Amino acid sequence: MTAVDQADLLRRARSRRGAAVAAPPEHPAAPDGPAPLSHAQQRMWLMDHLGQGGALYNVPIATRLRGPLDHAALAAAITALTERHAVLRTRYPSRDGQPYQQTVPAAPVPLPVLDAETDQAATERLTAEAARPFDLAAGPVLRALLLRRGPEDHTLVLTIHHIAVDGGSLPVLAADLAALYAAARDGAEPQLAPSGPPYAEYARRERARDPELTAAADTLAARLAGARPPALLRPVPPGARERRAALHAAPLDPAVVAGLRSLGARHGATLFTVVLAAAFATLRTACGQSDLVLGCASGHRARPELRRTVGLAVNTLAVRVDSAEDASFAELLADVRGRLLDAQQHHEVPFDLVVERLGATARGADGTPLLSVTCDLVHPVAPLTLPGLDSENVELDLGLAKFGLALLLEDGPEPRCLVQHDRDTLDVTTAGQLLDAFAALLTAVAADPEQRISELPGSLLVAARHPVVEGLSAEPGVIEAAVVETADGPPLAYAVVRGPVAPNGAQLRAALRRRLPATELPDAVTLVDRIPRHPDGTPDHGRLPGAAAHGGGNPPSGPVDTVREAFGELLGTTPPADGDFFALGGHSLIAVQLAERLRTRIGLPLTGLDVLERRTPRALAALLATREDERRAAVSRTGAHPRTHARGGTRTGTVLLTGATGGVGAAVLQELMAQGRPVRVLVRPESAHLPALNGAELAEGDLADPDSLRRAVQDVDAVIHSACTFTDHATDLAAMRTLLDGWRGGPFVFVSSIDAYGRPADTEVPEGGPSGPAVTPYGQAKLDCERMLFEAAGRGPGRGPVTAVRAPIVWGPHHRLRDQLRWGPTGDLYQAALAGRPIGLPEVSEGAWYGASWVHAAALARALAACAVPDHPAAGRIVNAVSGHVPWAEFTAELVRLLGSASPLSVGPGAEQELRRPWRYRSETLAGPLTPEPGEDWRTVLAAMVG
């Protein structure tokens, strides 16, 4: 384990050994019932359930032991260690989606012995052991392995999951293990210091303070308002993170560290505070940002009784500094000192609560977490010491990065400046330049702290971006963009998009038209799953679809000839690799047929929209090659990702979602994945890549295929049924009946419609109120499905609560939702405004109201996800999900403005009868999740839909 890997565990750790003999203190009995997880543990548990665990939070401690090792005594000591500290024999199952601590009786800990003849073989075995993942639900969270290199030459590796230990725990464990080993070897009573309170007691006490901590989190979140991640870090493409780490190191003269320590003493600051100020100064210059947020670790062991408690009692502090003025480093140090002290005053407020309060603003517009950069002061790792043996620490580098970037100073006999980064968020060249700047700045301020920040070593490392990239990056939903200049025409533009309401290529080009002169516009914007990169992390433009034909590099791999052949069969002539679909006479229907033909032949997902956006055989072949690479990578990484239901077991807590590729379903999928809930989606084969890129489990089929519905609903723990044909009501009813027949337990949430109310007698419509006359066939189909739902809830044991959520027209920038703007009354107004025709609105008497009821897709997604848990207030009820009610006059005026229409508006008795909609739908039950987030007001979403 490297110093960097253990940095966050060992920074404040100090060995406390040689204590006198004492009996363990008497601790009060634990309350009845399982203990909750602490906030820090819950964060570990969530990361594991989000698929971001693996070996990332493994804590391997490897020590080479030379001398006469007593294997039986060591095995007995490790077992006694778990008996003494219950957290080491605790597992973390869940009930109703809520994890809890379950301590199991003490049992012998296996200590297998393996032989290793060479150093390389030993390193490989130790690394493989350290990287093996844990099953938190089943346990154990500690394992041991002894590697034998000779009769008196062994390497012990203890691997513990971070959910059970922190930096303050390791010296306690080391001292206890040494004492227990000596006692077992000598047949004596162990000389042990008193242990601290059980960790479960600590977790209970912390959770009892949740109201207080939550209130404090609100205050801390407010202080982070408006902050954004460093521009130096690039966004990570959708999908599972690999978190491959790179470490760069530069030696520092011990005199420099001494100078930094002296500087801190003169300003009442610790060495760590000086290093943190240097990190802020380095990043200020490198990013061109004065307002930055950096993270640092903080322990919860200020109370003496906790200093010998083993467990995870750490937190992350967010320190925000705005160094807009060109101050001296000494002045910056004073500012950083004050900000750090203020953050430390709130060190007990879990950072995950702050993140919850920040909501969407906890990430930048491109998805980069606000707290992506950390700073720390670390020390060389001390080995475990066992009496009678010579000990030597063994570094085990698992090559994983917890954060996007870490700036570190290693203090010791041979000090070093360190930069560790996630290879997906920063390329190695830029990281090397950052290391040089950080080391040079530390050296400079040790000599003269009165230099102004602008005078210190360093340079801007964020390159000026192409106007097209700048314009695309400013669009919501775009997480990354690239452009390739051509020798004989407009540039080629590419974008990676994310989210349930992400724009398509045509919409992005239209947005660029509003930002750029015509001479700088690309011919098209091609959507790609990720920007390809060279091994050093820099963009590989040559592998972008179609770029090779314009001098961008080598042609992309892929089935070009197969695609050309399919083009020829449908278009009458076989085109060259860069032949344009539209120039060859292609249109939408042929695009659908072409996608179907290629799907059948190649066995990869492809849609007609892909054909319309990529346009050339070369670009389509590149897309297919990318999807094949992703499929292979997913299989090699997990063996079943993306997977179909038939190829893997069902994860606990899985939610079946129908309609995941529609506007509403896509938003629900995004919300469920953000909550870390495993999702199975019912999806047509041609659209399977869309939810697969979000990590969902795939169940191929559709509403008209009863067998696929039965397979999809099998073994799931909740259902959100949002799919609907809108016009084939018989199919909708049959699909509902099939899903309910196969449903065996957990909540069932049905997305219904306010059309089920018909035209109620009262203008204020309560949730679940009676239906009025003139119920449309669509509304009647929803009523029939609701009736089946509530009848099924009473049949069979174990079936969970059911909820019908009636929604009005759903608005959002998703391309499938844009079409809804063109339906019904709003559609009539849209078409009239688009054509510039006169628009007549109904007269409104005093106190009356006519207009549109609507709900934002993201708000509806939050509401549906909230209903898909047991004991929600909506359980067993019909509830409404409405974001607001917009008067026709305001709606139409804004629509005319956005379209640049010349349509005159008038009010009179001749207005369409369908516009006479006076109803307001009450939504008290789901008011919480429906609360609008930034950008969810009706004017903003209408502008996105029209644009």
Side-chain angles (χ1 to χ4, degrees):
M1 185 176 188
T2 67
V4 174
D5 287 328
Q6 278 191 321
D8 58 325
L9 297 177
L10 293 175
R11 180 161 68 82
R12 291 181 170 82
R14 296 290 187 270
S15 293
R16 301 180 183 273
R17 304 182 183 181
V21 179
E26 291 296 327
H27 298 295
D32 292 336
L37 273 62
S38 70
H39 282 279
Q41 285 185 316
Q42 182 121 339
R43 188 161 56 248
M44 294 291 113
W45 185 85
L46 282 171
M47 293 298 289
D48 185 71
H49 278 64
L50 285 169
Q52 297 295 324
L56 184 63
Y57 293 102
N58 286 10
V59 182
I61 307 164
T63 304
R64 193 162 185 174
L65 303 168
R66 292 183 174 92
L69 175 68
D70 187 328
H71 174 268
L74 181 57
I78 295 173
T79 296
L81 193 69
T82 65
E83 185 173 0
R84 177 171 168 81
H85 301 289
V87 71
L88 299 179
R89 48 186 169 86
T90 298
R91 57 189 181 186
Y92 303 89
S94 61
R95 182 182 298 118
D96 298 328
Q98 187 64 38
Y100 59 93
Q101 298 189 49
Q102 184 180 65
T103 302
V104 300
V109 177
L111 181 60
V113 181
L114 300 178
D115 291 316
E117 297 180 356
T118 66
D119 287 345
Q120 180 179 353
T123 300
E124 290 175 353
R125 283 187 179 274
L126 290 172
T127 302
E129 169 65 13
R132 276 202 297 132
F134 287 94
D135 184 339
L136 297 183
V141 293
L142 176 147
R143 58 176 180 262
L145 175 69
L146 194 62
L147 208 61
R148 181 167 51 207
R149 301 186 180 193
E152 294 192 353
D153 187 358
H154 298 80
T155 298
L156 170 68
V157 58
L158 294 176
T159 308
I160 313 172
H161 196 281
H162 198 1
I163 202 170
V165 293
D166 62 3
S169 305
L170 296 185
V172 176
L173 292 176
D176 285 356
L177 184 63
L180 291 166
Y181 173 76
R185 182 196 60 184
D186 300 339
E189 287 296 317
Q191 305 294 301
L192 294 168
S195 64
Y199 184 80
E201 179 182 320
Y202 164 85
R204 283 192 173 96
R205 288 179 176 177
E206 183 190 57
R207 287 294 182 174
R209 297 180 59 204
D210 269 0
E212 169 194 347
L213 297 174
T214 299
D218 290 332
T219 301
L220 295 183
R223 296 179 184 178
L224 295 175
R228 57 191 180 93
L232 193 65
L233 302 181
R234 61 176 178 243
V236 177
R241 293 274 300 274
E242 295 184 2
R243 297 186 180 272
R244 298 170 301 126
L247 178 66
H248 308 259
L252 282 178
D253 191 319
V256 170
V257 178
L260 296 172
R261 188 174 276 110
S262 176
L263 168 62
R266 294 196 303 272
H267 289 81
T270 63
L271 176 58
F272 168 70
T273 307
V274 177
V275 174
L276 181 62
F280 272 111
T282 302
L283 289 170
R284 179 187 189 274
T285 300
C287 302
Q289 290 175 243
S290 61
D291 186 2
L292 292 165
V293 180
L294 270 66
C296 60
S298 175
H300 290 339
R301 298 179 184 273
R303 298 200 302 273
E305 69 271 16
L306 290 178
R307 290 174 186 166
R308 293 197 58 81
T309 291
V310 172
L312 182 58
V314 294
N315 190 25
T316 300
L317 303 182
V319 182
R320 183 179 187 179
V321 173
D322 189 349
S323 53
E325 297 182 2
D326 189 20
S328 69
F329 182 80
E331 292 170 327
L332 174 63
L333 174 59
D335 189 16
V336 170
R337 177 181 178 274
R339 304 281 179 163
L340 177 59
L341 287 173
D342 183 61
Q344 289 172 337
Q345 293 297 315
H346 301 88
H347 71 279
E348 292 186 327
V349 181
F351 186 65
D352 60 311
L353 289 181
V354 179
V355 171
E356 288 178 9
R357 298 307 176 279
L358 288 170
T361 61
R363 293 180 177 269
D366 61 6
T368 302
L370 175 61
L371 198 61
S372 295
V373 182
T374 62
C375 179
D376 214 339
L377 176 67
V378 299
H379 301 84
V381 178
L384 292 172
T385 58
L386 298 182
L389 300 169
D390 293 329
S391 301
E392 176 189 351
N393 180 66
V394 177
E395 290 191 353
L396 291 180
D397 185 2
L398 300 182
L400 299 172
K402 294 182 179 69
F403 291 90
L405 175 65
L407 282 73
L408 312 163
L409 175 64
E410 185 178 69
D411 189 17
E414 298 178 353
R416 297 188 299 167
C417 184
L418 305 172
V419 168
Q420 186 189 60
H421 64 98
D422 185 333
R423 292 175 180 269
D424 285 335
T425 63
L426 191 68
D427 62 83
V428 294
T429 300
T430 304
Q433 295 171 330
L434 189 67
L435 172 71
D436 293 341
F438 188 35
L441 189 145
L442 285 168
T443 302
V445 300
D448 181 8
E450 297 304 324
Q451 296 180 76
R452 299 207 167 272
I453 299 175
S454 61
E455 299 169 344
L456 294 172
S459 60
L460 182 67
L461 299 180
V462 179
R465 296 194 292 185
H466 191 285
V468 171
V469 174
E470 194 73 36
L472 289 172
S473 300
E475 290 298 312
V478 174
I479 65 166
E480 197 171 11
V483 66
V484 176
E485 294 286 2
T486 64
D488 54 356
L492 306 176
Y494 305 85
V496 181
V497 297
R498 173 186 287 163
V501 291
N504 60 33
Q507 291 155 355
L508 288 175
R509 188 176 185 277
L512 288 176
R513 190 183 298 115
R514 298 192 291 269
R515 296 176 182 270
L516 302 175
T519 55
E520 296 183 6
L521 279 177
D523 266 345
V525 178
T526 300
L527 299 187
V528 293
D529 297 327
R530 64 184 65 221
I531 301 297
R533 296 188 178 277
H534 294 291
D536 66 356
T538 57
D540 184 356
H541 289 155
R543 290 167 54 205
L544 288 165
H550 298 274
N554 297 323
S557 60
V560 178
D561 290 338
T562 302
V563 177
R564 291 178 60 233
E565 183 179 295
F567 265 63
E569 292 169 357
L570 291 169
L571 296 172
T573 180
T574 301
D578 294 300
D580 186 274
F581 176 76
F582 295 107
L584 294 165
H587 51 74
S588 299
L589 179 58
I590 293 180
V592 173
Q593 295 169 341
L594 179 61
E596 175 67 29
R597 191 163 298 197
L598 288 171
R599 278 200 309 274
T600 302
R601 291 183 183 176
I602 300 175
L604 290 168
L606 193 71
T607 68
L609 182 61
D610 292 328
V611 175
L612 297 176
E613 290 185 342
R614 269 59 178 192
R615 298 168 58 166
T616 70
R618 190 190 304 276
L620 277 172
L623 174 65
L624 291 166
T626 299
R627 288 181 178 163
E628 176 61 22
D629 289 344
E630 288 182 343
R631 176 177 289 181
R632 288 174 179 168
V635 170
S636 67
R637 185 165 59 247
T638 67
H641 176 70
R643 69 173 191 253
T644 62
H645 170 44
R647 292 169 59 188
T650 304
R651 293 174 59 191
T652 302
T654 293
V655 180
L656 170 65
L657 172 63
T658 67
T661 57
V664 173
V668 177
L669 174 60
Q670 192 79 1
E671 177 66 24
L672 291 171
M673 299 303 291
Q675 294 182 11
R677 300 173 70 176
V679 185
R680 178 186 299 167
V681 297
L682 179 72
V683 60
R684 292 191 180 97
E686 64 269 25
S687 303
H689 64 287
L690 298 173
L693 294 178
N694 283 291
E697 177 187 347
L698 307 180
E700 294 186 353
D702 60 33
L703 297 184
D705 182 355
D707 289 338
S708 70
L709 295 174
R710 294 186 188 97
R711 291 191 298 269
V713 78
Q714 184 179 6
D715 298 329
V716 298
D717 293 311
V719 179
I720 298 179
H721 181 31
S722 72
C724 179
T725 67
F726 292 101
T727 56
D728 188 350
H729 308 312
T731 295
D732 291 333
L733 294 174
M736 185 67 165
R737 188 174 297 109
T738 302
L739 286 173
L740 292 172
D741 287 343
W743 169 53
R744 289 294 177 266
F748 195 119
V749 183
F750 173 57
V751 183
S752 189
S753 169
I754 60 170
D755 281 28
Y757 288 116
R759 301 180 71 86
D762 295 326
T763 57
E764 288 287 325
V765 183
E767 295 180 310
S771 299
V775 176
T776 64
Y778 171 71
Q780 186 59 51
K782 292 294 187 183
L783 280 172
D784 292 340
C785 285
E786 289 177 0
R787 175 182 48 77
M788 286 190 287
L789 176 67
F790 287 97
E791 288 176 354
R795 297 198 305 265
R799 291 194 166 186
V802 300
T803 306
V805 180
R806 292 183 178 179
I809 187 170
V810 183
W811 287 352
H814 190 281
H815 67 92
R816 294 286 293 274
L817 294 175
R818 286 185 171 94
D819 293 337
Q820 295 205 30
L821 186 61
R822 295 147 177 82
W823 296 351
T826 58
D828 294 338
L829 297 174
Y830 177 88
Q831 296 299 335
L834 193 64
R837 298 194 305 266
I839 298 176
L841 300 176
E843 291 179 325
V844 181
S845 59
E846 185 175 350
W849 174 88
Y850 290 134
S853 304
W854 69 284
V855 64
H856 194 286
L860 178 58
R862 294 192 297 270
L864 294 171
C867 293
V869 297
D871 302 322
H872 189 272
R877 299 178 54 196
I878 297 173
V879 295
N880 298 334
V882 179
S883 291
H885 304 83
V886 185
W888 287 131
E890 293 182 31
F891 173 86
T892 308
E894 185 68 5
L895 188 63
V896 167
R897 185 188 70 81
L898 291 170
L899 291 172
S901 172
S903 293
L905 303 183
S906 62
V907 175
E912 293 290 337
Q913 180 65 28
E914 188 59 22
L915 294 176
R916 303 180 187 276
R917 304 184 65 85
W919 302 288
R920 294 178 183 270
Y921 301 88
R922 294 165 58 180
S923 302
E924 295 94 338
T925 306
L926 300 176
L930 289 172
T931 301
E933 295 187 356
E936 291 182 5
D937 61 283
W938 73 269
R939 294 182 189 275
T940 299
V941 72
L942 183 63
M945 295 172 76
V946 171

